[in-house]
Amino acid sequence: MRPLCHGCYLSMNGCRKGHSREPVGTIETQTLEPVATTSMALYSLKMAISKMKSEPQFRSSSGIVRLQVSIEEEEVEAIDWLHSQNHLLLPRCFFSGREHNSFDSNGRSLVSVAGVGSAVFFCQPHPFSYWDWVSIRRFLSESCPLIRAYGAIRFDAKAKLSVEWLPFGSFYFMIPQVEFNELEGGSMLTTTIAWDNTISWSWEDAINALQDTLSKVSASIVRFPKQAPPTLILSSHDIPSKIDWDIAVNRALEMIKKNNSLLTKVVLARSTRVVPTTNIDPLTWLACLTVESENAYQFLLQPPDAPAFIGNTPEQLFHRKWLHITSEALAGTRARGVSMALDRQIELDLLTSPKDDIEFTIVRDTIRRKLEGVCEKVVIKPKKMIRKLPRIQHLFAQLAGRLRSEEDEFEVLSSLHPSPAVCGFPTEEAQLLIAKTEVFDRGMYAGPVGWFGGGESEFAVGIRSALVEKDHGVLIYAGTGIVEGSNPYLEWDELELKTSQFTKLLKLDLPLRQKVDCK
């Protein structure tokens, strides 16, 4: 069994006991002169770090410092930069927002972020708590908005950790050591140094670790093909199997129909393990999902010596900027039509479906009530409409409010997750049924995935996701809401539709594929 957060290399765990709960002593961003290329940016950062080491500027016992340099001529995508660092055995992350509403100091919108190494990471086996949130916030400041902690939280912190999810702990966040920011009209290479004497990680430790990482970072950027190579499949199996799925859905429907039952909706999920003859590159898969990048978040989170959690999710959990907060309800799923007329017919069917309206209303009204607990006013606009993605379409509503305090951010996160869209309603009854029914570990699937920043934070719901394990294939996750009127056969078809963005990358019809049902 792999140890929790094994091999976090030269870094510190910001959630260790013993540190102060006050903000770190120094929080600063330094901007270097712009350069033409990525290789020049890397050289400029190395020189600045060497000078900083020889002429120590910071006397505080704790701090975090970001150095950034703009790249003005060479056009590089963040995912290409990260793929060029595939040789590094370091933690890494990637995040691309659905809407590019974050900006650098020059007003350029931030498209995507790729990072390697951790200036500081945050990981524990216990459930994510208010004090863990405080531990992360210590290193963040409104004056340095691009210092961010990227990561994810388990769907159910009380569920037993399976081996494949063990390195992630109950939550895993990292502030990258070296980061590439893809901007509209440019890019930026950055480094971050974090230290805290109270948890035995000094300035000298931090700067030596950063220099070690920088010495291994590649300055040569290779633009790799955004398509998956033909792959032979050794095996593929679903948990639960089709037979067991039908049993589980019918059992859930019986619970919902009981006169004394409070349960009105439960979201049941499926895990599909696909084992190919060669290892899957998680970045190649992520790049292939750009077909749905519009109206979707893309992410990769990979602790050191661990599988990669990747996803392409359309669902926002919340976005906070200062005191303004937005969230959204997303439920009901249909395929897109092959013609405009058929697509419109499918849309009308979804809008008028009693079963889907029940599922959607539960999600929307639950999120509204939870936001009303921390906001002065909540507005829903639109009340219900269709959100169209390239392959599927959903019922959708957006909710917005104004927080009473930025301190309420933790309350928002802990109350909105898990939402009825990925768990059910009421939450406790749905979670209990899920725990009794599902025999696999969801891990970070359907959990919050995103980032904390100084004056801004954003989290998506980790659906449409997969866990890519070296030498063990890939685990693909999908779930569907069960309410009165649900049909096990149609719900299985919905699972197939949701996982198709991954399975289409595999040549599942090749001769070596063997279908195995896990009873």
Side-chain angles (χ1 to χ4, degrees):
M1 184 172 289
R2 288 173 291 202
L4 182 63
C5 294
H6 168 69
C8 285
Y9 297 88
L10 299 172
S11 185
M12 65 175 171
N13 190 343
C15 283
R16 275 179 55 188
K17 291 181 180 180
H19 64 71
S20 166
R21 286 170 177 165
E22 295 299 317
V24 295
T26 299
I27 302 180
E28 185 177 308
T29 296
Q30 297 183 11
T31 302
L32 307 180
E33 288 295 318
V35 296
T37 66
T38 306
S39 60
M40 292 174 67
L42 183 60
Y43 177 79
S44 178
L45 288 168
K46 286 180 178 179
M47 292 302 99
I49 295 296
S50 293
K51 183 179 179 180
M52 191 178 289
K53 184 177 181 180
S54 62
E55 304 172 6
Q57 307 171 34
F58 308 106
R59 302 299 178 186
S60 58
S61 62
S62 64
I64 186 164
V65 178
R66 172 182 165 105
L67 277 70
Q68 57 188 32
V69 55
S70 290
I71 301 165
E72 296 197 328
E73 295 182 16
E74 186 181 29
E75 294 184 6
V76 178
E77 293 182 16
I79 201 164
D80 281 322
W81 179 86
L82 190 57
H83 191 269
S84 299
Q85 315 308 323
N86 262 354
H87 62 288
L88 296 178
L89 299 176
L90 291 171
R92 57 181 181 169
C93 66
F94 178 90
F95 192 85
S96 179
R98 196 179 58 195
E99 297 171 357
H100 304 144
N101 50 17
S102 296
F103 303 90
D104 72 347
S105 56
N106 295 319
R108 297 176 296 180
S109 111
L110 189 59
V111 176
S112 56
V113 173
V116 297
S118 56
V120 53
F121 71 96
F122 309 87
C123 180
Q124 288 291 342
H126 62 244
F128 188 69
S129 69
Y130 172 78
W131 293 116
D132 296 317
W133 176 78
V134 170
S135 295
I136 296 174
R137 297 282 298 181
R138 292 181 65 228
F139 292 88
L140 308 177
S141 170
E142 294 176 1
S143 64
C144 301
L146 293 183
I147 296 178
R148 297 172 172 179
Y150 296 91
I153 301 172
R154 279 175 65 80
F155 170 77
D156 184 359
K158 297 177 182 177
K160 183 180 179 182
L161 273 166
S162 60
V163 172
E164 66 270 14
W165 286 106
L166 202 61
F168 292 83
S170 185
F171 58 90
Y172 184 90
F173 288 89
M174 60 179 280
I175 298 177
Q177 271 183 314
V178 184
E179 188 178 305
F180 189 93
N181 294 171
E182 181 184 344
L183 306 162
E184 286 191 350
S187 58
M188 192 158 53
L189 191 65
T190 81
T191 59
T192 300
I193 311 165
W195 71 98
D196 189 345
N197 292 346
T198 63
I199 48 179
S200 304
W201 188 252
S202 68
W203 158 263
E204 290 78 13
D205 292 329
I207 202 163
N208 287 336
L210 176 57
Q211 285 187 311
D212 183 61
T213 297
L214 282 173
S215 69
K216 299 171 185 174
V217 169
S218 174
S220 176
I221 309 301
V222 178
R223 291 168 177 80
F224 70 106
K226 309 300 190 292
Q227 59 184 33
T231 307
L232 295 176
I233 305 304
L234 291 176
S235 65
S236 171
H237 64 264
D238 302 312
I239 301 177
S241 66
K242 179 66 170 64
I243 294 172
D244 290 337
W245 171 261
D246 293 348
I247 294 171
V249 172
N250 286 324
R251 187 182 297 125
L253 289 171
E254 289 175 6
M255 291 285 294
I256 290 169
K257 292 174 184 176
K258 280 185 178 179
N259 291 333
N260 61 345
S261 174
L262 297 174
L263 190 67
T264 56
K265 175 186 177 181
V266 64
V267 178
L268 297 180
R270 184 186 75 185
S271 166
T272 301
R273 181 178 287 279
V274 178
V275 180
T277 54
T278 57
N279 282 319
I280 292 169
D281 176 21
L283 277 175
T284 298
W285 265 36
L286 191 63
C288 290
L289 300 179
T290 54
V291 67
E292 290 195 11
S293 60
E294 185 179 357
N295 290 327
Y297 298 88
Q298 292 184 304
F299 62 85
L300 176 145
L301 184 65
Q302 188 171 24
D305 192 29
F309 180 47
I310 66 172
N312 189 58
T313 173
E315 187 169 353
Q316 180 189 83
L317 185 64
F318 75 88
H319 174 243
R320 177 190 69 83
K321 191 157 190 177
W322 312 121
L323 292 177
H324 181 71
I325 189 163
T326 59
S327 185
E328 61 190 34
L330 201 71
T333 304
R334 294 287 191 281
R336 295 297 302 272
V338 294
S339 65
M340 288 184 63
L342 181 57
D343 196 57
R344 177 61 177 164
Q345 181 181 336
I346 295 171
E347 175 185 335
L348 290 173
D349 176 66
L350 181 55
L351 282 168
T352 57
S353 163
K355 177 261 180 186
D356 290 291
D357 185 68
I358 292 171
E359 183 180 351
F360 174 74
T361 302
I362 290 171
V363 174
R364 183 191 61 199
D365 291 355
T366 301
I367 294 174
R368 173 184 55 80
R369 287 193 296 270
K370 290 182 175 181
L371 286 178
E372 286 173 345
V374 290
C375 290
E376 295 172 354
K377 183 182 179 182
V378 176
V379 176
I380 305 176
K381 189 176 182 181
K383 296 288 185 180
K384 183 170 82 168
M385 65 170 287
I386 295 290
R387 166 167 280 177
K388 292 182 181 288
L389 300 170
R391 295 177 305 105
I392 55 182
Q393 48 192 321
H394 302 284
L395 294 173
F396 166 82
Q398 186 171 69
L399 302 90
R402 182 176 176 80
L403 294 174
R404 298 185 182 94
S405 165
E406 286 190 24
E407 289 289 310
D408 289 328
E409 179 180 71
F410 175 77
E411 293 301 321
V412 170
L413 177 61
S414 57
S415 64
L416 288 181
H417 172 73
S419 80
V422 294
C423 179
F425 184 81
T427 302
E428 289 187 6
E429 284 77 3
Q431 280 183 313
L432 185 61
L433 183 57
I434 289 170
K436 288 181 178 179
T437 303
E438 294 181 1
V439 294
F440 66 91
D441 181 11
R442 289 193 183 191
M444 268 62 180
Y445 161 69
V449 56
W451 52 271
F452 290 110
E456 184 178 6
S457 299
E458 185 164 26
F459 281 84
V461 182
I463 56 174
R464 313 292 197 272
S465 55
L467 190 70
V468 182
E469 294 187 89
K470 186 177 181 180
D471 301 325
H472 292 89
V474 59
L475 286 163
I476 305 170
Y477 302 92
T480 179
I482 309 302
V483 298
E484 189 171 354
S486 292
N487 181 302
Y489 305 101
L490 296 179
E491 301 300 339
W492 184 268
D493 289 342
E494 184 173 320
L495 295 177
E496 296 286 288
L497 179 62
K498 288 175 176 176
T499 59
S500 63
Q501 65 171 328
F502 288 106
T503 56
K504 71 182 180 182
L505 301 178
L506 297 163
K507 309 302 180 184
L508 295 180
D509 56 342
L510 288 175
L512 285 182
R513 182 176 188 262
Q514 298 174 350
K515 185 70 177 180
V516 179
D517 277 338
C518 284
K519 298 297 180 69

